[in-house]
């Protein structure tokens, strides 16, 4: 594992490296320290690659959110674990598909849980098999924005396409729930991937592709509870 640790406070870089080495083992891990986002970006420009990035949101020079956007604009999908003193910044992190959040001061048990989650993530991508024109399509679950029923079919909506399969919404939801805990029902004909929500209000959700979806009144309370629990779990 090649892991970048970007924080302008050395004490936190040392603490994170100590836990990482203790978890993965010294022979299996290389940690690279950076005191600001500029140094890290220069390493990427020089061809460096990393399996994970621990990134402080608040830094004197290029802040963590700008650094993360820079990464994503370069097409780098490496898991980002944000470090922050302000948990309210967590929602902004989903714009850059943050993997987890760690609150300062860093709790060792929470950091260890992040490493466990990271190891599971690196083992392989969760996928679902869908059908189109006689072909079997392998679709990453995280790429699904929402799923809705369409008469006797089920529509899987992705960022740049939709795939329609014969079947029941309930069966599709059951399959997705077995693969991920990020799906939530917002009315009887639609479930959304909470990891692909950009913003929400009491009765409306906006997905990352700009699609707005209504939340049925009977689902509003449950959705709000699940959404905040989802964000909390992501911030472990």
């Amino acid at each position: 594992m090649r892991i970048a640790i970007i924080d302008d406070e050395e004490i936190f870089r040392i603490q994170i490296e100590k836990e990482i080495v203790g978890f993965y083992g010294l022979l299996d891990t290389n940690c690279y320290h950076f005191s600001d986002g500029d140094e890290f970006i220069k390493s990427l420009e020089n061809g460096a690659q990393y399996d994970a990035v621990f990134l402080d949101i608040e830094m004197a020079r290029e802040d963590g959110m700008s650094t993360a956007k820079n990464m994503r604009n370069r097409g780098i999908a490496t898991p980002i674990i944000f470090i922050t003193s302000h948990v309210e910044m967590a929602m902004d992190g989903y714009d850059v598909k943050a993997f987890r959040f760690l609150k300062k001061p860093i709790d060792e048990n929470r950091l260890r849980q992040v490493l466990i989650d990271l190891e599971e993530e690196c083992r392989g991508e969760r996928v679902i098999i869908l059908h189109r024109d006689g072909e079997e399509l392998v679709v990453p679950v995280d790429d699904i924005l929402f799923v809705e029923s369409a008469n006797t079919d089920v529509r899987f909506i992705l960022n740049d396409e939709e795939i329609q399969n014969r079947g029941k919404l309930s069966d599709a939801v059951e399959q997705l729930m077995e693969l991920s805990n990020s799906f939530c029902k917002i009315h009887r004909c639609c479930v959304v991937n909470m990891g692909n929500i950009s913003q929400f209000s009491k009765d409306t959700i906006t997905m990352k592709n700009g699609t707005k979806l209504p939340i049925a009144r009977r689902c509003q309370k449950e959705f709000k509870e699940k959404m905040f629990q989802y964000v909390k779990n992501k911030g472990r």
Side-chain angles (χ1 to χ4, degrees), residues 54-101:
F54 285 78
L55 179 57
D56 186 14
I57 289 183
E58 302 156 272
M59 291 183 289
R61 298 180 66 182
E62 181 167 351
D63 64 85
M65 201 62 68
S66 297
T67 302
K69 289 178 181 178
N70 195 325
M71 286 177 59
R72 297 307 188 226
N73 289 338
R74 294 169 183 267
I76 299 173
T78 302
I80 297 172
I81 299 93
F82 274 126
I83 309 165
T84 179
S85 300
H86 303 284
V87 293
E88 63 270 17
M89 293 182 173
M91 286 302 296
D92 293 336
Y94 289 107
D95 290 337
V96 291
K97 295 188 176 181
F99 179 71
R100 292 290 186 274
F101 296 85

Side-chain angles (χ1 to χ4, degrees), residues 13-184:
R13 299 200 305 269
I14 293 173
Q15 179 187 3
I16 292 170
E17 178 174 17
K18 180 181 177 181
E19 288 297 320
I20 289 172
V21 171
F23 182 82
Y24 289 111
L26 185 60
L27 296 178
D28 296 327
T29 311
N30 287 308
C31 292
Y32 301 85
H33 290 222
F34 301 92
S35 59
D36 61 56
D38 287 336
E39 291 182 2
F40 171 70
I41 294 301
K42 287 178 183 177
S43 78
L44 297 179
E45 292 173 345
N46 290 328
Q49 297 182 357
Y50 305 95
D51 297 298
V53 175
F54 285 78
L55 179 57
D56 186 14
I57 289 183
E58 302 156 272
M59 291 183 289
R61 298 180 66 182
E62 181 167 351
D63 64 85
M65 201 62 68
S66 297
T67 302
K69 289 178 181 178
N70 195 325
M71 286 177 59
R72 297 307 188 226
N73 289 338
R74 294 169 183 267
I76 299 173
T78 302
I80 297 172
I81 299 93
F82 274 126
I83 309 165
T84 179
S85 300
H86 303 284
V87 293
E88 63 270 17
M89 293 182 173
M91 286 302 296
D92 293 336
Y94 289 107
D95 290 337
V96 291
K97 295 188 176 181
F99 179 71
R100 292 290 186 274
F101 296 85
L102 284 171
K103 182 182 177 181
K104 289 183 176 181
I106 296 173
D107 180 89
E108 291 184 1
N109 290 329
R110 290 184 181 275
L111 174 54
R112 183 172 180 80
Q113 183 61 56
V114 167
L115 295 175
I116 292 172
D117 294 343
L118 182 61
E119 184 181 40
E120 292 178 353
E121 180 76 8
C122 291
R123 281 197 203 121
E125 195 171 36
R126 296 164 296 180
V127 298
I128 186 172
I129 305 298
L130 301 179
H131 310 279
R132 184 173 61 192
D133 299 330
E135 295 182 337
E136 308 292 324
L137 304 177
V138 180
V139 177
V141 170
D142 290 343
D143 287 354
I144 298 172
L145 300 183
F146 61 95
V147 183
E148 61 183 5
S149 60
N151 296 321
T152 58
D153 292 343
V154 179
R155 295 173 65 228
F156 295 81
I157 311 301
L158 284 69
N159 274 313
D160 53 1
E161 66 175 326
E162 67 175 64
I163 302 170
Q164 192 158 314
N165 277 206
R166 179 76 63 179
K168 297 179 180 178
L169 179 64
S170 58
D171 293 337
V173 171
E174 182 179 354
Q175 185 178 3
L176 290 170
M177 291 293 190
E178 290 177 355
L179 296 168
S180 172
N181 63 357
S182 64
F183 289 87
C184 179

Side-chain angles (χ1 to χ4, degrees), residues 219-232:
C219 296
Q220 289 174 2
K221 180 180 179 181
E222 181 180 3
F223 166 75
K224 183 177 180 180
E225 291 173 351
K226 285 189 174 182
M227 187 65 196
F228 280 104
Q229 185 61 47
Y230 176 79
V231 172
K232 181 179 178 181

